[in-house]
Amino acid sequence: MNINLISDTVTQPSKGMLEAMMNAEVGDDVFKTDATVNALEARVAALFGMEAALFFPSGTMANQTAIKVHTQPGEQLICDKYAHVYNYEGGGISFNSGVSCKLIDGHRGMMNAGQVEAAINPPNFYHSPLTTLVCIENTTNKGGGACWDIEMLKKIKQVCTDHHLAYHLDGARLWNALVSKNETPEQYGELFDTISVCFSKGLGCPVGSVLLGSKAMMDKALRIRKILGGGMRQAGYLAAAALYALDHHIDRLAEDHQKAMEIGKALERLPFIKKVEPIETNIIIFEIDEDKLSEEGFLKRLAENGISIIGMGQGKLRMVTHMDYTDKMHEVFLKALTRL
Ligand SMILES: *Cc1c(COP(=O)(O)O)cnc(C)c1O
């Protein structure tokens, strides 16, 4: 049995999802005539109570488009030092938008309103880049799947309003936060100018993200998506998978969270594990006590048991639970851990 906990992106479309894809009504989305893409965009916009939505091939392209919508070259955005937009999008913020980042030393990928306010460059001090955007990530990826306190997000929103800054949410795993905190999409829709959500992470789709915002912003985003080469033709086959996931794959995220917490508890009992970070959703980040067992040795022992995970550098290892990590696999994995 192969157990793959490298990421929640390793899932394969289920039978039901494939059927929904095969039966999709499609058109040419570059001409905006793909009925299934249009239906997905309308549905996600309504779900968040936002005006408009746009389908993207990746979360990276959705985030990068949002940043381009909100900024001009030479300006600066504020984000946490762990932010995906800064660390894992290939330097796209400078490449695509000519924008720099003011990094905040937050906690598990989350900053507070005071830190954000202090990071804003005075707008009349023309020597510094003009601050125009704040980017948030929920759940935080490098922060170990941590969920924000929505009250803090409201405080940061107030800072953005006071200083005329745009407010973007990288919600690649927002679905996990909604399930874990029992929150609604509308609560986020009313806070942010733009939100990106992924369908290819915990929701189990092969491809797809959606960017949400006002009609005017999404009109701009459509043009930027075109420039980035993100216009897709019979994309309805992919949008059908996302529609299927909205119906069938959201509530079940609680199972992934439960399994992650059980793995965390099992790890804590192992003598060579130094630290397991608090687990709120489907991501487990932990450290090995290298005096007792090397990281390499641990990964090798897991591999011998058919288990794949990855390191994040700096002594941190990560596991992510997902739809294709079954109850049976969970049982086998927990047993294997006690034998390591
Ligand atoms: C996965 C992810 C993205 C988008 O990644 P793609 O692989 O481009 O879809 C964006 N933000 C976060 C926090 C992510 O985990």
Side-chain angles (χ1 to χ4, degrees):
M1 182 185 283
N2 276 318
I3 299 177
N4 191 345
L5 294 170
I6 283 177
S7 174
D8 48 6
T9 56
V10 300
T11 54
Q12 308 222 347
S14 61
K15 265 213 176 79
M17 183 176 280
L18 281 173
E19 230 161 75
M21 294 170 73
M22 302 268 275
N23 294 324
E25 184 191 343
V26 297
D28 185 335
D29 184 51
V30 171
F31 292 105
K32 297 306 288 163
T33 58
D34 187 297
T36 309
V37 172
N38 292 340
L40 175 68
E41 290 175 349
R43 179 161 169 194
V44 181
L47 191 62
F48 282 80
M50 294 177 93
E51 256 176 33
L54 193 62
F55 190 52
F56 280 82
S58 72
T60 297
M61 198 190 283
N63 283 332
Q64 291 298 320
T65 297
I67 291 164
K68 184 72 191 154
V69 163
H70 295 304
T71 60
Q72 290 298 322
E75 294 177 352
Q76 191 163 74
L77 66 77
I78 296 171
C79 66
D80 187 90
K81 66 181 189 297
Y82 281 178
H84 192 280
V85 292
Y86 173 72
N87 288 290
Y88 303 120
E89 298 189 4
I93 294 174
S94 49
F95 190 95
N96 298 312
S97 296
V99 163
S100 60
C101 297
K102 177 81 74 86
L103 297 181
I104 293 190
D105 188 15
H107 177 63
R108 304 190 73 211
M110 298 175 290
M111 50 223 188
N112 64 48
Q115 288 176 306
V116 173
E117 190 148 40
I120 300 168
N121 293 327
N124 49 5
F125 188 68
Y126 70 87
H127 311 281
S128 303
L130 185 67
T131 309
T132 45
L133 170 65
V134 175
C135 291
I136 298 288
E137 187 173 311
N138 199 18
T139 70
T140 63
N141 181 347
K142 200 173 179 178
C147 304
W148 282 78
D149 174 358
I150 197 146
E151 293 309 316
M152 185 54 74
L153 292 176
K154 288 180 190 165
K155 284 184 189 151
I156 296 175
K157 160 83 178 172
Q158 189 58 52
V159 171
C160 291
T161 306
D162 293 346
H163 296 269
H164 311 289
L165 310 180
Y167 198 27
H168 172 69
L169 172 63
D170 174 356
R173 291 190 183 82
L174 184 62
W175 311 109
N176 296 81
L178 296 178
V179 167
S180 173
K181 305 274 274 186
N182 204 15
E183 292 165 345
T184 65
E186 291 98 326
Q187 285 177 280
Y188 286 84
E190 64 193 26
L191 277 182
F192 289 93
D193 295 307
T194 47
I195 299 177
S196 66
V197 291
C198 278
F199 289 92
S200 57
K201 301 267 165 91
L203 296 198
C205 294
V207 173
S209 285
V210 163
L211 183 66
L212 296 138
S214 68
K215 174 80 173 65
M217 281 174 198
M218 290 308 102
D219 284 348
K220 235 172 133 181
L222 178 63
R223 187 174 278 280
I224 295 162
R225 189 186 70 175
K226 174 75 192 186
I227 293 168
L228 296 177
M232 298 183 286
R233 302 294 180 174
Q234 282 71 53
Y237 292 119
L238 302 172
L243 284 164
Y244 181 89
L246 286 174
D247 287 330
H248 301 280
H249 293 169
I250 293 183
D251 293 343
R252 62 153 308 286
L253 290 171
E255 297 169 30
D256 298 345
H257 301 171
Q258 180 64 28
K259 288 191 178 101
M261 282 173 218
E262 287 167 12
I263 292 171
K265 286 210 182 90
L267 286 173
E268 272 168 0
R269 285 196 286 269
L270 299 176
F272 52 84
I273 300 288
K274 188 157 67 184
K275 183 179 170 210
V276 182
E277 291 190 8
I279 295 162
E280 292 178 58
T281 53
N282 66 332
I283 300 178
I284 306 135
I285 291 182
F286 61 102
E287 287 170 47
I288 305 268
D289 185 346
E290 298 235 43
D291 293 337
K292 296 188 175 129
L293 179 65
S294 68
E295 197 175 301
E296 244 170 57
F298 180 64
L299 293 179
K300 191 158 157 270
R301 283 190 204 179
L302 287 177
E304 284 162 6
N305 285 278
I307 300 155
S308 323
I309 73 164
I310 45 170
M312 303 191 80
Q314 296 132 17
K316 287 190 178 185
L317 293 169
R318 188 184 84 160
M319 298 181 190
V320 189
T321 57
H322 52 77
M323 261 179 67
D324 289 0
Y325 175 65
T326 61
D327 291 347
K328 182 73 203 162
M329 288 177 190
H330 189 50
E331 201 180 293
V332 169
F333 179 49
L334 290 181
K335 265 205 200 108
L337 273 183
T338 62
R339 277 188 278 107
L340 286 179

